[in-house]
Amino acid sequence: MDDLLIRSRRAVLPDGERPAAVSVRDGRITAISPYPAGGPAADAVDLGDVALLPGLVDTHVHVNEPGRTEWEGFATATRAAAAGGVTALIDMPLNALPPTVDPPALAAKRAAAEGACAVDVGFWGGAVPGNLAALRPLHDLGVFGFKCFTSDSGVPEFPPLSAAEMRAAFEEIAGFGGLVIVHAEEPAELSPPAGGGYAEFLASRPPSAERLAVERVVRLAEETGVRAHILHLSAADCLDVLAKARSDGLPVTAETCPHYLALSAEEAAVTAFKCCPPIRGTANRELLWQALADGVISCVVTDHSPCTPELKRGDFATAWGGISSLQLGLPVVWTAARERGHGLHAVVRWMSEAPAALAAVPGKGGIAVGNDADLVAFAPDETFTVDPAALHHRHPVTPYAGRTLTGAVQATWLRGEPAGRGRLLHREPR
């Protein structure tokens, strides 16, 4: 007898959306049967017309613990993730103290996370000046790849790589078959904002900064053979560079984020909208949607980057840049996607399948026999108004406050049980 059977007339499977019954035993999916069949189970749930999705995989999350736990933490971040249908996340190496740039720092991260997570959590390593010798040991310890910056990261303990340091890191990571993920903004193109308004902030980080940095990453990927991934792409000016890299067969991929797909510069009135790279104009946003449809951008992940409310005060020149959206990413993207004619299968591909494949997260990314039974009951037609007080991340600061969204997460299962007992993840060898 199976432990759990979940039926839905709208199960989103790797080959499309259809009625199905999903059987679960010992935390894994054992069978997928035609609806409403399925073998005997200790517990059975029929969702009817509520959709059954695989758990989302968010490969871009700043948890900030240890060291800046007043900004966020594993308990609060993973509760928000579970409420938003995210069953696995990978924590970024910076904003915590110490940053994850050597084995002792990784051990500190894992110690802070152990027993505190409502969903599964893995870790990125960092590539910074002076830690070249630590990259292979971190890889051997199971980090999913290495983040680096081409420009100032915003925190002094995680400096950017120079051109020579970046080449050396790419060569080292290519040597052991690793993945490098890049915050790509060219520092020479950035400037202090000329004033405190959004227009001045936007002008201080022009599309050319992203394009030049993306071009540099593509050149280095071609020359070193490293697998490279562009983080939080906001500038549509980069899309032709990425499309050519793809057509040339280079191992370069890119992601974008819910805020770049749902928000626009024209509506950015409060500092909750501030992030780096910035939210750009409406026409730019629609080009990002087209790039998703075309496969030029493969992933949509949150870049959940919280801070204390005090750091979000002031104006656009002084406020911390970062948007918290772990709990809201799925309905934000679904609301905008359905308006543009995209179905749930596309959203699952962008937010579960592709991120899991990018980072080789074991057992995640789709409703398939043998995978972890990470499942989400999602009511695709239900609407709600975002109330910051209902958010689970540590500080209820969000640019989506008061916005009406479509699509509500009704339940999240982690390995066939209600989410709440997450495990620490290690990279799956390729």
Side-chain angles (χ1 to χ4, degrees):
M1 179 178 289
D2 289 314
D3 302 317
L4 176 65
L5 176 68
I6 304 180
R7 301 181 177 98
S8 170
R9 295 189 185 93
R10 297 191 64 179
V12 181
L13 307 176
D15 58 352
E17 180 183 323
R18 66 173 185 269
V22 177
S23 299
V24 177
R25 187 186 311 134
D26 297 330
R28 293 190 179 271
I29 297 170
T30 56
I32 300 171
S33 309
Y35 181 93
D43 187 22
V45 178
D46 195 321
L47 300 177
D49 291 326
V50 171
L52 182 66
L53 315 183
L56 304 190
V57 178
D58 194 336
T59 54
H60 196 147
V61 177
H62 295 267
V63 176
N64 305 334
E65 186 179 7
R68 291 192 175 97
T69 311
E70 71 274 13
W71 292 18
E72 186 62 286
F74 286 105
T76 50
T78 59
R79 279 201 302 271
V86 175
T87 52
L89 62 87
I90 307 183
D91 174 55
M92 282 291 167
L94 73 156
N95 296 352
L97 294 169
T100 316
V101 296
D102 55 33
L106 176 61
K109 273 277 191 185
R110 286 179 171 157
E114 189 69 52
C117 300
V119 301
D120 290 353
V121 174
F123 302 95
W124 295 109
V128 296
N131 85 323
L132 194 65
L135 300 182
R136 186 182 288 268
L138 282 168
H139 178 79
D140 292 343
L141 288 168
V143 300
F144 285 84
F146 299 90
K147 182 174 186 176
C148 67
F149 279 76
T150 59
S151 57
D152 179 38
S153 72
V155 291
E157 67 277 1
F158 203 98
L161 297 176
S162 68
E165 290 164 337
M166 194 169 179
R167 176 177 290 277
F170 277 36
E171 289 173 345
E172 175 71 7
I173 294 166
F176 54 73
L179 170 67
V180 62
I181 60 175
V182 186
H183 180 123
E185 290 182 286
E186 196 65 29
E189 296 291 301
L190 305 177
S191 60
Y198 193 79
E200 291 90 347
F201 169 65
L202 185 60
S204 75
R205 305 186 90 95
S208 59
E210 287 189 75
R211 183 183 176 98
L212 288 171
V214 168
E215 288 175 340
R216 180 148 64 103
V217 172
V218 170
R219 282 196 304 272
L220 280 174
E222 183 174 23
E223 292 166 5
T224 66
V226 79
R227 289 190 302 124
H229 180 72
I230 305 298
L231 298 168
H232 46 45
L233 187 80
S234 85
D237 288 28
C238 302
L239 295 173
D240 63 322
V241 179
L242 292 166
K244 185 176 187 305
R246 185 168 175 250
S247 68
D248 290 344
L250 296 178
V252 179
T253 53
E255 69 188 35
T256 193
C257 303
H259 39 277
Y260 301 131
L261 296 170
L263 306 177
S264 67
E266 292 86 346
E267 62 184 313
V270 294
T271 56
F273 282 77
K274 183 179 177 180
C275 58
C276 299
I279 296 164
R280 304 190 188 275
T282 302
N284 179 92
R285 179 183 69 194
E286 298 311 309
L287 291 171
L288 295 180
W289 275 106
Q290 188 59 52
L292 269 173
D294 294 342
V296 175
I297 299 172
S298 58
C299 304
V300 180
V301 291
T302 61
D303 188 11
H304 178 78
S305 186
C307 65
T308 62
E310 291 75 22
L311 290 175
K312 271 295 188 184
R313 292 177 186 146
D315 58 26
F316 283 101
T318 59
W320 176 263
I323 290 175
S324 302
S325 57
L326 257 177
Q327 188 170 337
L328 297 173
L330 176 57
V332 166
V333 173
W334 171 237
T335 300
R338 69 184 291 172
E339 291 171 354
R340 292 162 176 82
H342 299 292
L344 280 174
H345 189 254
V347 172
V348 164
R349 183 172 69 250
W350 300 329
M351 302 188 77
S352 183
E353 178 185 325
L358 167 75
V361 185
K364 312 295 185 183
I367 300 176
V369 172
N371 271 1
D372 290 345
D374 295 354
L375 302 165
V376 177
F378 183 68
D381 301 317
E382 185 177 327
T383 62
F384 68 99
T385 300
V386 176
D387 176 8
L391 301 177
H392 292 284
H393 56 256
R394 189 174 298 279
H395 301 293
V397 177
T398 174
Y400 303 108
R403 185 175 292 246
T404 298
L405 300 177
T406 302
V409 173
Q410 294 189 344
T412 302
W413 292 270
L414 182 66
R415 287 181 296 278
E417 299 285 345
R421 298 178 64 183
R423 298 176 183 173
L424 302 189
L425 300 173
H426 296 68
R427 183 197 71 260
E428 186 173 71
R430 287 182 178 269

